[in-house]
């Protein structure tokens, strides 16, 4: 088979592993990552086609994690040792313990299969990014929530918070 022979020659199986690595790294430094075995197209083209959706997924995941993490962390700090704090920190601990793939499956089951609100595959509209970005950002959100809570509890004990309270500034304005 000519295709198999051509692939064999491109992969240099007759050369040593260090020599194969040097050849690959030398080509990669010049922008040549080789040819995809599956699609027979340059790998750099395959990466380029997927870069945009991957970037959008990363950015939306970061947005979700910052929004949820900061909100849960600040609310937990403001209501320290009360029911909002307990719920927020329970969510945070559960979120760390819950595997991302299981969260993704659960979200797909609820919002795609049962409710039919969101698509499960594709990248052609903003709706395609909601479930994967929430799934991906959830792990970072729970860590951020815990860090925010600790930092904000320390911050609320500082002198300028006490001074603002002494001057009659409401707790809502201080937190905002």
């Amino acid at each position: 088979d000519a295709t198999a022979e051509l692939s064999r020659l491109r992969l240099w199986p007759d050369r040593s592993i260090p020599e194969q690595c040097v050849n690959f790294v030398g080509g990669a430094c010049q922008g040549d990552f080789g040819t995809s075995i599956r699609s027979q197209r340059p790998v750099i083209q395959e990466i380029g086609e997927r870069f945009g959706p991957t970037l959008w997924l990363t950015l939306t995941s970061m947005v979700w994690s910052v929004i949820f993490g900061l909100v849960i962390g600040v609310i937990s700090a403001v209501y320290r040792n009360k029911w909002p704090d307990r719920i927020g920190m329970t969510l945070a601990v559960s979120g760390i313990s819950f595997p991302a793939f299981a969260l993704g499956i659960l979200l797909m089951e609820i919002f795609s299969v049962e409710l039919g609100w969101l698509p499960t595959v594709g990248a052609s509209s903003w709706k395609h990014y909601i479930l994967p970005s929430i799934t991906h950002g959830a792990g970072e959100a729970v860590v951020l929530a815990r860090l925010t809570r600790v930092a904000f509890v320390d911050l609320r004990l500082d002198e300028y918070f006490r001074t603002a309270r002494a001057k009659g500034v409401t707790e809502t304005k201080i937190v905002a």
Side-chain angles (χ1 to χ4, degrees), residues 41-145:
R41 294 177 44 206
V43 171
I44 197 73
Q45 283 182 354
E46 299 279 338
I47 292 171
E49 287 176 3
R50 290 162 177 84
F51 183 77
T54 302
L55 178 65
W56 280 112
L57 178 60
T58 302
L59 292 175
T60 54
S61 297
M62 288 172 47
V63 168
W64 287 119
S65 66
V66 167
I67 289 170
F68 289 135
L70 289 179
V71 167
I72 292 171
V74 169
I75 289 172
S76 291
V78 169
Y79 297 101
R80 187 173 60 153
N81 297 327
K82 295 185 176 129
W83 69 267
D85 178 32
R86 290 191 180 101
I87 290 173
M89 289 303 102
T90 300
L91 282 172
V93 170
S94 300
I96 290 171
S97 306
F98 203 68
F101 74 89
L103 176 62
I105 292 170
L106 180 67
L107 291 175
M108 282 192 312
E109 176 67 28
I110 294 169
F111 293 104
S112 295
V113 176
E114 296 296 324
L115 299 173
W117 291 352
L118 297 169
T120 56
V121 293
S124 58
S125 77
W126 61 271
K127 288 183 177 183
H128 290 94
Y129 291 96
I130 294 174
L131 292 180
S133 65
I134 289 174
T135 302
H136 190 262
E140 288 78 19
V142 295
V143 172
L144 186 59

